[in-house]
Amino acid sequence: MPGLRVGGEAMPEEIETAEDGVGSVSAHRYGKIVAELRELVKTASRILFKVGDYALEIEPMREHGGAASAEDPFTVKESLFRLSEDVGMSYYMVKQARQTASK
């Protein structure tokens, strides 16, 4: 999976492990664990981008210090907090996903 990044660093295509394994697992089992986790990381990334897109739809970005219209029943924080609670995510994650989606 060229280009896959974790913590800002590119992950190698092939996993280098000692002949006897890593930690308590064999080298073969370690390779299987890494492959499965890479797929989960890709899925999680797609989920977070979708959360960000929807959060941005619910609360579009405003200019810094931009005021909401008088008829808005919720502040940005209240809307995102409600969304986060309704979908079972932390407010911080929804807020960060929205911020990322806006760029």
Side-chain angles (χ1 to χ4, degrees):
M1 284 173 241
L4 185 61
R5 296 189 170 282
V6 173
E9 297 182 22
M11 292 176 48
E13 186 68 29
E14 291 294 321
I15 303 298
E16 295 180 26
T17 60
E19 289 288 321
D20 56 344
V22 175
S24 298
V25 298
S26 69
H28 177 73
R29 177 68 182 139
Y30 181 78
K32 291 182 109 179
I33 290 169
V34 168
E36 183 175 342
L37 288 175
R38 283 182 173 176
E39 289 302 312
L40 290 171
V41 167
K42 286 193 314 188
T43 299
S45 292
R46 286 192 302 267
I47 290 167
L48 285 176
F49 277 109
K50 185 57 83 174
V51 168
D53 288 342
Y54 284 139
L56 197 54
E57 181 180 343
I58 291 166
E59 281 294 348
M61 299 303 282
R62 301 177 186 154
E63 290 184 29
H64 184 67
S69 66
E71 63 264 358
D72 281 347
F74 298 103
T75 65
V76 172
K77 184 173 183 176
E78 289 169 334
S79 296
L80 297 181
F81 189 79
R82 179 177 176 177
L83 177 63
S84 70
E85 285 195 328
D86 288 344
V87 300
M89 291 182 78
S90 75
Y91 164 74
Y92 177 78
M93 286 189 72
V94 171
K95 179 182 168 188
Q96 287 300 110
R98 174 179 170 259
Q99 182 68 33
T100 300
S102 73
K103 296 179 181 192

